[in-house]
Amino acid sequence: MTSATYSLVNNETGEKTELPLITGTIGTPGADVGKVYDKLGIFTYDPGFTSTCSTKSSITYIDGDEGILLYRGYPVDQLAAHSSFIEVCYLVLHGELPKKAELEAFEGSIRRHTMINEGVKRFFDGFYHDAHPMAMLTGVTGALSAFYHDTTNNKDARHREIFAHRMIAKIPTIAAAAYKKYSGQPFMHPQNKLDYCSNLLHMMFAVPAEPYQVDPIAAKALDVLFILHADHEQNASTSTVRMAGSTGCNPYAAISSGIAALWGPLHGGANEAVLTMLDEIGDVKHVPDFMDKVKNKVEGVRLMGFGHRVYKNFDPRAKIIREQCHKVLKHLGKENDPKMELALKLEEIALNDDYFKERKLYPNVDFYSGIIYEALGIPVNMFTPMFAVARTVGWCAHWSEMTADKTTRIARPRQVYTGAATRDYVACDKR
Ligand code: ACO
């Protein structure tokens, strides 16, 4: 496969254009079509980027057929079993697992950047009381660009590092503040003595009136979920961050665009959509009816949390989350949770049904994450913000990789125009 050569031939003139093969360390190579327009005068057409690589990247590797996910070469199941989210953040950002002192310094830096400027806090006052937390997260993260514009030189490696530390440290504070705004409670300051996930849970669920003890099992479950969501190569939100970032814009603004892309129900919004779907189905006895609608493609009805553009065998993250899901439900005494029962019934039917088997549709990470979040008392509209908190490190790593790469050019796709051909303007009274 990797030694083969590819070319495009103009059938009229016989002119041939060689497509050099770009090979990585492992995985499918890419045919370089960058010169096709110059040589043949045609564009390549691939809506949805099904066959198109937008970049080379050394951060994350996915083999969708084998259900493999590696961060910097390390299998995600090993990281979920033995590492911590903060260590994974270091790995994703820097490319290697940290030595003890490196980890301590990194963790210390993240802890020191958790507070947000009082001016940033005041942005929340302007939102309507029932604004969706993802809308607030998008807006307030974008607003960070107004606070750090003069200390953010994209060309300076140290500035890029500080940006990543600030972003990873502040995103839980912003997400928790969005939740507090939504629920009408006072904001809670970060507690830097707490680990990353305990701090987030504390900022969300503590109130100033009484002490709040974070449940270590809940914090651990969140930590594992965050490891699984830390990066996923060129997904829609990461590609959005890269595309915005390729213009040289402020990186906080680029992250904000990624958060906006993540919100969609076909992407990070799926975890919220799964719970909405389970609520709508309501009871196990309604499952056959619901499945008929899915298979008959009734408009707007999909089995949310199933299917993936890349994973066509199983989603390795879903496997790990499924186990975590059972652990958390057991710990919280919610084993007979009706939503879990319903989810398992849907899973069982779908895995044995030809419609899903033929299309290689398997549960993805979001099928179970919503159930865990709900068991932890996290409200449905905070599910996608939790995903955003975890994915921030991936966005920062991709933005940094792209910005440090001197060969990066502005991302500017082409199109096949299907509108009206050239025509002359007609005065209004003559139309
Ligand atoms: N339920 C029912 N049918 C489905 C589903 C589903 N969840 N997903 C795909 N299909 C069907 C499609 O109707 C299509 O059928 P056809 O061949 O008869 O036309 C076929 O499977 C292929 O589907 P596409 O939409 O072409 O696949 P694509 O790769 O473009 O989409 C996506 C992937 C968006 C994830 C899709 O599977 C989906 O909508 N899933 C539900 C939403 C979801 O869970 N998203 C989370 C993704 S993971 C993440 O972002 C963290």
Side-chain angles (χ1 to χ4, degrees), residues 303-315:
L303 182 52
M304 299 311 283
F306 261 69
H308 199 275
R309 169 60 61 82
V310 180
Y311 295 121
K312 299 298 179 195
N313 187 342
F314 66 92
D315 179 341

Side-chain angles (χ1 to χ4, degrees), residues 401-416:
E401 181 181 65
M402 181 197 65
T403 306
D405 180 353
K406 294 200 169 36
T407 66
T408 296
R409 299 172 72 193
I410 186 169
R412 199 330 185 161
R414 301 293 198 150
Q415 65 165 12
V416 174

